[in-house]
Amino acid sequence: MYIYWYGQAGFKLQSGDTTIVVDPYSPRKAGLRGPNFKSDIVLLTESSDISQAKKDFKGGAFLISSPGEYEIKNNFIYGIKLNETHAVYLLEMDGVKIGVLGELKNILDENTIEKLDDVDVLLAPVGNKKSVLAPEQAAKLIRDIEPKIIIPSCYKIPGLKIEAESIDKFYREMGLKNPEVLDKARITVKDLEGKEMAIIVLNPS
């Protein structure tokens, strides 16, 4: 499985001929280009984006914007409702469990954290105290969930039109000096064996 980042909460998960796009409108709303490709599954943490997604992905993509349990092309997706407009997800692709938080604004309650407790990879917002988790909040939540790999999102990058913190503050909160920076992350079940909470930083695609 490969993971690509498009800025803010926008991601692409790719395995073989299956593509999942996560929050494609998040980077566009912040002034970035965002993803532009066909997808088998479109995962939206913000339900307000569903109308636009129906227009943009009317060629057969399966749209998910609400809580529930889904199985699509051997991918398992579990949506957890946080409030009227936002959901977080636990999905399994190629045997890897991925937590998708989107533009999460508040620390999760204990019940939700327990549901995400078994994630291997966490896609976590880390850098905007006004609209998503501040770096110190993100660091606390990550330690509560204890994923094996963290891929940070929603921090300051070139071209971003909204206020955001530099990722350096998140590094300090996590006690990190030399993160691994990649254009894409390749993750397999075997890669996760014996791994203890590593951070992978992705260049925006």
Side-chain angles (χ1 to χ4, degrees), residues 20-38:
I20 301 176
V21 62
V22 175
D23 286 335
Y25 303 106
S26 174
R28 297 179 197 177
K29 291 175 183 177
L32 303 171
R33 182 181 62 182
N36 183 23
F37 48 78
K38 292 181 179 180

Side-chain angles (χ1 to χ4, degrees), residues 3-15:
I3 301 178
Y4 303 78
W5 181 52
Y6 291 83
Q8 286 301 96
F11 287 90
K12 178 175 76 171
L13 313 179
Q14 181 82 49
S15 174

Side-chain angles (χ1 to χ4, degrees), residues 30-61:
L32 303 171
R33 182 181 62 182
N36 183 23
F37 48 78
K38 292 181 179 180
S39 181
D40 299 291
I41 303 167
V42 180
L43 197 62
L44 303 174
T45 60
E46 295 292 336
S47 60
S48 58
D49 291 332
I50 188 66
S51 295
Q52 188 62 47
K54 286 180 178 178
K55 295 177 184 177
D56 293 343
F57 295 93
K58 55 187 176 183

Side-chain angles (χ1 to χ4, degrees), residues 98-111:
I98 305 157
V100 178
L101 303 183
E103 294 188 15
L104 184 67
K105 298 173 176 59
N106 300 298
I107 287 290
L108 300 176
D109 60 35
E110 289 185 11
N111 184 49

Side-chain angles (χ1 to χ4, degrees), residues 113-147:
I113 288 173
E114 285 180 8
K115 291 175 181 177
L116 294 171
D117 187 52
D118 198 28
V119 300
D120 299 309
V121 180
L122 186 66
L123 310 181
V126 304
N128 190 333
K129 60 186 177 183
K130 290 188 176 181
S131 60
V132 299
L133 297 180
E136 60 273 17
Q137 292 176 307
K140 181 183 183 305
L141 181 60
I142 287 165
R143 293 189 179 101
D144 286 342
I145 295 175
E146 296 185 322

Side-chain angles (χ1 to χ4, degrees), residues 84-201:
E84 291 303 313
T85 62
H86 195 91
V88 297
Y89 296 90
L90 174 62
L91 70 91
E92 185 172 342
M93 191 177 203
D94 286 352
V96 178
K97 294 180 180 179
I98 305 157
V100 178
L101 303 183
E103 294 188 15
L104 184 67
K105 298 173 176 59
N106 300 298
I107 287 290
L108 300 176
D109 60 35
E110 289 185 11
N111 184 49
T112 306
I113 288 173
E114 285 180 8
K115 291 175 181 177
L116 294 171
D117 187 52
D118 198 28
V119 300
D120 299 309
V121 180
L122 186 66
L123 310 181
V126 304
N128 190 333
K129 60 186 177 183
K130 290 188 176 181
S131 60
V132 299
L133 297 180
E136 60 273 17
Q137 292 176 307
K140 181 183 183 305
L141 181 60
I142 287 165
R143 293 189 179 101
D144 286 342
I145 295 175
E146 296 185 322
K148 294 178 180 177
I149 294 174
I150 305 106
I151 300 181
S153 66
C154 298
Y155 54 86
K156 187 175 182 179
I157 60 173
L160 196 68
K161 303 299 183 184
I162 63 173
E163 185 178 344
E165 299 270 6
S166 163
I167 197 172
D168 292 340
K169 188 170 182 180
F170 174 68
Y171 292 163
R172 291 194 294 271
E173 292 290 340
M174 295 297 294
L176 187 66
K177 293 183 179 180
N178 297 303
E180 186 176 11
V181 181
L182 304 170
D183 290 331
K184 60 184 177 183
R186 179 181 179 274
I187 300 172
T188 67
V189 171
K190 188 175 181 179
D191 295 331
L192 299 170
E193 294 176 1
K195 187 174 285 293
E196 296 183 5
M197 205 180 291
I199 297 175
I200 297 177
V201 178

